[in-house]
Amino acid sequence: MAVYDKSDIDRRMNGAVESLKGDLGGLRTGRANTSLLDPVVCEVYGAMMPLSQVATVSAPEPRMLSVQVWDKTNVSAVEKGITKANLGLNPMTDGQTVRLPMPDLTEERRKELAKLAGTYAENAKIAIRNVRRDGMEALKTDEKSKEISEDERKRMEDEVQKLTDKYVSEADEAAAKKEQEILTQ
């Protein structure tokens, strides 16, 4: 029974890049982005719930987020959850709507955020390289158990390396794009 599974390696490397894109989406630039509120949880009905399960988030203007709370009894819980998330936003309540104006980023804060984007990308690349290592070890195991020949192992190692290069460059690209977005706002 072969240990090496190219589709599993591809799936895991892609997962690392998708996770990176999610993390980068949560970084605040000067523009309003609804994914900024993804990590927010609110204590409603005696349980901690993600904001997306108690309200609708939209970006009606480039520098404003709007949170339409479905049940008016949860408005203060939503406001508290946004404040606790420590995103640097000041909620303003207007009936069942919580408005979140986007403050301007200082140059120092922009640099911090750009550095954080780079850190996220580095973590994703480490995850991708770990998957590559697993794939290479699986190929060596297959060769030892006579599942594949030495030539097949070398050919498949090249495939794994090509996948690794592809996903590492995707991670670099996503981080560079986000850093550019942060620094030019």
Side-chain angles (χ1 to χ4, degrees):
M1 178 68 196
V3 179
Y4 172 73
D5 181 359
K6 182 180 175 185
S7 63
D8 180 56
I9 288 171
D10 190 39
R11 180 187 58 76
R12 289 169 55 200
M13 287 182 178
N14 188 42
V17 172
E18 290 306 312
S19 174
L20 167 66
K21 288 178 181 173
D23 289 344
L24 292 176
L27 284 181
R28 186 163 74 88
T29 60
R31 300 182 70 74
N33 186 340
T34 57
S35 64
L36 181 63
L37 297 179
D38 288 349
V40 175
V41 289
C42 312
E43 188 173 348
V44 290
Y45 311 121
M48 296 305 280
M49 296 176 81
L51 183 64
S52 60
Q53 293 183 4
V54 294
T56 304
V57 180
S58 62
E61 300 167 31
R63 302 188 62 79
M64 173 81 69
L65 283 175
S66 174
V67 180
Q68 184 66 43
V69 184
W70 300 328
D71 182 349
K72 67 176 135 221
T73 59
N74 294 334
V75 173
S76 66
V78 165
E79 211 174 309
K80 208 176 285 181
I82 292 169
T83 306
K84 271 187 183 174
N86 207 5
L87 298 169
L89 301 173
N90 293 327
M92 298 184 307
T93 308
D94 176 19
Q96 279 183 245
T97 304
V98 178
R99 297 192 193 292
L100 301 162
M102 293 282 131
D104 285 330
L105 292 173
T106 63
E107 189 60 33
E108 188 179 314
R109 183 68 179 137
R110 286 178 195 280
K111 286 179 180 165
E112 282 175 29
L113 289 171
K115 193 183 283 185
L116 188 56
T119 304
Y120 286 166
E122 194 51 46
N123 291 341
K125 290 191 286 189
I126 289 169
I128 291 166
R129 288 192 292 266
N130 286 340
V131 175
R132 178 190 63 191
R133 188 195 60 227
D134 293 348
M136 297 298 195
E137 286 173 7
L139 286 168
K140 286 177 184 148
T141 303
D142 283 352
E143 183 188 6
K144 278 188 183 120
S145 65
K146 305 280 189 248
E147 294 277 334
I148 60 174
S149 69
E150 185 180 350
D151 289 344
E152 284 179 293
R153 175 184 57 84
K154 287 181 179 173
R155 184 183 52 76
M156 290 179 187
E157 282 179 350
D158 286 344
E159 285 179 3
V160 172
Q161 187 57 50
K162 282 183 181 135
L163 281 175
T164 304
D165 295 344
K166 171 187 161 199
Y167 285 112
V168 164
S169 78
E170 275 186 35
D172 284 338
E173 217 172 271
K177 184 176 171 193
K178 188 64 173 190
E179 286 174 17
Q180 188 65 33
E181 191 180 316
I182 290 168
L183 295 171
T184 58
Q185 282 296 315

